[in-house]
Amino acid sequence: MEKINNLDYFNTTILLLKKLEKIAYTRNERLRIFHEKTRMIRTISAGMLASFFPIVIWIFSLSALEINNLGLTDSTELAIRLSGLLLITVSLIVLPYLFIHMMWRHPLFRSFTSLLEKKISKRLFDDIEKIDEKACHIVSHPYFIKPRVPDHYLSVEHLTSLERYLASGKARTLAEALDYLKKELKSKIYFSNPETHQTLLQREKEYLTNQKNNLISRIKKEEEVYG
């Protein structure tokens, strides 16, 4: 009877963990889209701000001066001067653009950038809240509140192995199945003690204990990666 109950437990737990994997993936994708949108806003805003001053200079110069007043003797000299003016203009655009792009997250600019990103930030938090509700529902399942195996074995990979040991008759009890799993893990070339690594379930539980602050911290860390 123990064998049947354990098999049912493993089967249900594996299905729950697979759902949790999909939820975590959905959250990651939503954050990726958010960072891409903020990067696009930053790029467009920096480009517009950096272009403003050079455009004003060009408009003022073209309206105030006439080519005949430049003292040009031939078309070659005209091309040289226009090329020089173009290089200066490009420099006036590129350097401010790089500066604005680099200083986008600086506290001095934060109020301005937050205003531009306010709408997409609100959408992000609303979407993540819905995603986290689904994750919370899974991690609070009775099978995870009082698991039959240690927390560091609560992964799809390890539970599948335990289920296989019991289903094949290789192990008659859960304790025997755990012993076989430990031996199997130690026999691997790149053995890594599962107790030293967090499972997806453990990471989700830790994240959901303080969802809002953990989400904000994650966004800040990922900003360094996405640029």
Side-chain angles (χ1 to χ4, degrees), residues 3-226:
K3 177 179 177 181
I4 296 175
N5 289 336
N6 283 330
L7 287 175
D8 290 341
Y9 168 80
F10 288 140
N11 184 55
T12 302
T13 306
I14 289 171
L15 290 176
L16 289 171
L17 288 175
K18 287 182 177 179
K19 289 182 180 179
L20 190 61
E21 287 178 349
K22 291 181 180 179
I23 291 172
Y25 175 80
T26 302
R27 186 192 296 118
N28 293 339
E29 281 297 292
R30 185 62 186 86
L31 284 166
R32 181 186 62 79
I33 293 171
F34 167 76
H35 287 298
E36 288 182 351
K37 287 184 177 180
T38 55
R39 184 170 55 185
M40 181 179 66
I41 291 175
R42 183 188 316 176
T43 301
I44 294 174
S45 301
M48 292 176 64
L49 292 173
S51 301
F52 178 77
F53 185 61
I55 289 175
V56 171
I57 292 178
W58 267 91
I59 294 175
F60 177 78
S61 299
L62 293 176
S63 61
L65 299 175
E66 295 180 359
I67 293 181
N68 292 334
N69 295 330
L70 295 177
L72 303 177
T73 57
D74 54 40
S75 59
T76 302
E77 189 175 354
L78 173 62
I80 293 174
R81 293 198 178 187
L82 287 177
S83 298
L85 181 59
L86 181 61
L87 288 174
I88 293 173
T89 303
V90 170
S91 299
L92 289 175
I93 293 176
V94 172
L95 294 179
Y97 171 82
L98 294 175
F99 174 77
I100 295 171
H101 199 274
M102 180 181 63
M103 297 294 291
W104 188 262
R105 297 297 178 190
H106 193 277
L108 293 175
F109 290 82
R110 193 57 191 167
S111 58
F112 173 71
T113 59
S114 297
L115 182 63
L116 294 177
E117 298 172 1
K118 183 177 181 180
K119 187 175 182 179
I120 62 172
S121 294
K122 185 179 184 305
R123 287 182 181 176
L124 171 71
F125 279 89
D126 289 343
D127 291 344
I128 294 295
E129 184 178 359
K130 295 177 182 178
I131 294 171
D132 289 345
E133 286 178 359
K134 296 179 181 179
C136 188
H137 179 72
I138 290 178
V139 301
S140 60
H141 192 281
Y143 282 4
F144 296 135
I145 300 299
K146 294 182 178 180
R148 298 188 184 184
V149 298
D151 286 347
H152 50 271
Y153 291 124
L154 286 174
S155 67
V156 173
E157 180 184 2
H158 293 331
L159 291 177
T160 300
S161 296
L162 292 171
E163 184 183 37
R164 186 178 68 251
Y165 295 140
L166 290 172
S168 64
K170 186 175 183 179
R172 291 175 296 177
T173 64
L174 181 55
E176 288 183 1
L178 285 169
D179 288 337
Y180 278 117
L181 178 59
K182 292 175 183 178
K183 292 177 182 178
E184 180 183 331
L185 292 175
K186 288 182 179 180
S187 65
K188 291 184 177 180
I189 297 177
Y190 300 103
F191 170 70
S192 179
N193 191 339
E195 296 183 24
T196 61
H197 299 281
Q198 278 190 318
T199 62
L200 172 64
L201 179 63
Q202 289 173 323
R203 291 196 301 270
E204 287 293 311
K205 284 183 176 180
E206 182 178 328
Y207 163 76
L208 292 170
T209 55
N210 195 349
Q211 180 266 347
K212 187 174 182 179
N213 288 336
N214 288 331
L215 178 59
I216 293 173
S217 298
R218 178 175 175 178
I219 291 173
K220 290 180 179 179
K221 289 180 180 179
E222 290 181 349
E223 282 176 353
E224 299 176 0
V225 177
Y226 284 91

